Amino acid sequence: MEAAPSSSSTSTSTSSGGSVTFYDFLDRMRNPASLDLVRSIKSFIVSFSFYTPNPDNDGKKVQDFYLSMEAAIREHPLWAAATFEELDSAMEGLEKYVMTKLFSRTFASVPEDAKIDREVSEKICLLQTFLKPEHLDIPAVLHNEASWLLAEKELQKINTFKAPREKLLCIMNCCRVINNLLLNASMSENHALAGLDDFLPVLIYVTIKANPPQLHSNLKFIQLYRRQAKLVSEAAYYFTNLVSAKTFIVDLNGKSLSMDEIKFEESMQAARLTQTNRATQIEASPTLQGQTDPTPTRMHDKEKDTSGGSNYPYMDAEAGELTVGDVERLLSLYKDVVTNAAMVEPGEYTRKMILASLASLQRMSGLVILYGSIVKKKWVVSSDFMALYAFAAVVICWVTWARKMSSG
């Protein structure tokens, strides 16, 4: 296997490269000449929501759409002189755009996926309490907590992305860290590489330590919606290994480990009992949760206090009170704020309000003149007042609630 770059640099370069690809695709789609492609993409996204969720059928529909759009892009004048790399970048942008739009419809779309996710996560939580590297026959030369932690962090990022390519990159970055660990051990410790026999146990251990959220759903999402032409070679190898690691964890028992079967069952039972007792204590006495882990409780209380009137429950929080679980929500809030700010230019709202007021006054005078000119002279005054009443009613509605509705 070829040595890969360090995970941090790889992650940065791949994410920045993906952003350039995506925004280049969006720029081309804004070109008036691409109107036919835009219509095809939007039509597919809208029509997709009409079907009942069926992961296998949905995956086939998306893959067929990729192929049809690839043919259309190749023949389109905007890509007439495009290189293979430019066409591939266009398809990567298309995949990210389509699957980001369809994410809520396609990710964990059936109850069975959520059930398996929960079962896998619960079993990993139990294994975390007693499983050691030696139980998986990981050689001492590969015991490197720093590398393992780095690989865990890469794998835990998988749920922060919506595009299949970016989720797959998280897996690849994790596996590249492990691969580098193996290569370094072979060079510095004269350890003969055993290929998959060394790689897979480390990956299994890292996966258990990381306990990535919704592991089953993320793997299924990548398998169904990542372009099949890109799920090959190194990507396919690493992806297949993680699928194997998940399957091993699901089926794991005493016979699978270098551990006595009776001791394995006792450890699992003790872990279950510990979790049950902890849950019972928390339910019976909410103050116990504050004693065992005061930070999440304080954050939870602040969130409850502000949930009735604010979408930003962390306004009064301090840095020391934040937990790992708060990061994902904070990132989501940050993206919402940036998106909303980018959509409204400075002074735009005020300018629109002034123009709307002037336009309404202009319409008012026009209405008075119009209705006054088409009725008899004795009804002119009453017609003008009727127009004034109607205008006043509209203004009252606008000021009280319609303005808030229009501005979100």
Side-chain angles (χ1 to χ4, degrees):
M1 259 180 271
E2 190 176 340
S6 67
S7 178
S8 58
S9 62
T10 303
S11 179
T12 304
S13 62
T14 50
S15 60
S16 61
S19 299
V20 172
T21 298
F22 182 60
Y23 289 116
D24 179 67
F25 169 77
L26 292 181
D27 286 340
R28 295 213 186 195
M29 288 296 108
R30 293 189 184 100
N31 191 311
S34 66
L35 184 59
D36 53 336
L37 297 178
V38 173
R39 285 175 177 170
S40 297
I41 296 170
K42 290 187 175 181
S43 175
F44 175 76
I45 293 172
V46 171
S47 64
F48 200 87
S49 60
F50 296 152
Y51 301 104
T52 304
N54 184 316
D56 292 332
N57 289 344
D58 291 345
K60 187 176 185 306
K61 288 187 183 77
V62 171
Q63 295 296 335
D64 290 343
F65 178 71
Y66 288 157
L67 294 175
S68 64
M69 285 302 299
E70 184 173 6
I73 289 175
R74 286 180 183 278
E75 298 173 359
H76 200 275
L78 282 177
W79 282 273
T83 63
F84 173 80
E85 287 74 17
E86 289 173 330
L87 290 171
D88 185 65
S89 295
M91 289 304 301
E92 294 286 26
L94 173 69
E95 179 189 278
K96 180 173 181 176
Y97 179 82
V98 170
M99 294 317 304
T100 300
K101 294 291 185 181
L102 296 178
F103 183 78
S104 59
R105 165 65 176 74
T106 54
F107 185 81
S109 57
V110 293
E112 183 67 19
D113 291 338
K115 179 184 176 184
I116 297 175
D117 282 330
R118 186 169 59 254
E119 291 174 350
V120 172
S121 180
E122 289 174 354
K123 185 165 186 179
I124 289 177
C125 286
L126 298 177
L127 293 170
Q128 285 178 334
T129 61
F130 66 90
L131 192 72
K132 305 297 181 184
E134 50 267 25
H135 294 147
L136 293 167
D137 295 326
I138 298 176
V141 70
L142 298 180
H143 291 198
N144 188 318
E145 292 291 341
S147 294
W148 290 351
L149 180 60
L150 187 57
E152 291 165 25
K153 294 298 183 184
E154 291 295 334
L155 195 56
Q156 287 170 342
K157 294 176 185 177
I158 193 170
N159 222 36
T160 63
F161 299 103
K162 293 184 177 180
R165 175 181 179 270
E166 292 169 342
K167 289 180 178 291
L168 182 58
L169 283 174
C170 293
I171 297 174
M172 294 180 67
N173 287 336
C174 168
C175 292
R176 283 168 177 163
V177 172
I178 299 173
N179 188 43
N180 281 344
L181 172 62
L182 268 62
L183 290 176
N184 291 335
S186 67
M187 291 185 291
S188 60
E189 304 289 343
N190 295 321
H191 173 73
L193 286 176
L196 193 60
D197 290 338
D198 276 341
F199 180 84
L200 188 56
V202 176
L203 179 59
I204 292 170
Y205 185 73
V206 166
T207 303
I208 291 173
K209 296 295 288 182
N211 195 5
Q214 297 179 286
L215 178 60
H216 167 77
S217 292
N218 276 297
L219 293 175
K220 188 174 181 178
F221 184 77
I222 294 169
Q223 186 174 24
L224 290 174
Y225 303 111
R226 178 61 172 147
R227 283 195 300 145
Q228 295 303 306
K230 306 301 286 186
L231 203 56
V232 295
S233 188
E234 182 189 29
Y237 176 76
Y238 289 149
F239 178 77
T240 303
N241 272 279
L242 186 57
V243 172
S244 300
K246 188 213 79 171
T247 304
F248 178 88
I249 292 169
V250 170
D251 299 333
L252 190 146
N253 53 41
K255 295 180 181 179
S256 310
L257 303 171
S258 296
M259 186 178 187
D260 183 72
E261 292 184 45
I262 297 176
K263 187 176 180 181
F264 173 82
E265 292 300 333
E266 290 175 350
S267 299
M268 290 290 285
Q269 189 61 33
R272 290 191 190 96
L273 187 61
T274 301
Q275 286 193 356
T276 303
N277 290 340
R278 187 180 302 162
T280 303
Q281 289 174 354
I282 291 173
E283 289 176 3
S285 177
T287 56
L288 262 175
Q289 186 179 14
Q291 293 171 3
T292 50
D293 192 1
T295 300
T297 303
R298 290 198 299 271
M299 287 301 304
H300 177 69
D301 291 341
K302 289 183 179 181
E303 188 169 345
K304 280 179 60 179
D305 293 341
T306 57
S307 60
S310 173
N311 291 326
Y312 305 101
Y314 301 96
M315 286 297 292
D316 298 325
E318 296 181 2
E321 297 178 349
L322 297 177
T323 64
V324 176
D326 298 323
V327 174
E328 187 172 351
R329 186 171 182 190
L330 284 169
L331 179 61
S332 177
L333 292 173
Y334 169 77
K335 290 180 179 178
D336 289 342
V337 171
V338 173
T339 301
N340 292 334
M343 292 173 61
V344 181
E345 297 179 2
E348 182 70 11
Y349 183 74
T350 303
R351 185 179 68 84
K352 287 183 178 179
M353 289 295 293
I354 294 173
L355 291 176
S357 301
L358 293 175
S360 63
L361 290 174
Q362 185 179 13
R363 291 189 185 116
M364 181 59 225
S365 60
L367 286 174
V368 170
I369 296 173
L370 173 64
Y371 287 117
S373 63
I374 62 177
V375 298
K376 295 182 179 180
K377 288 184 178 180
K378 61 180 180 178
W379 293 339
V380 169
V381 177
S382 60
S383 297
D384 290 345
F385 272 105
M386 288 175 65
L388 285 171
Y389 294 152
F391 178 75
V394 170
V395 170
I396 292 172
C397 291
W398 172 260
V399 171
T400 54
W401 59 273
R403 176 178 60 84
K404 294 182 180 178
M405 287 181 60
S406 67
S407 59

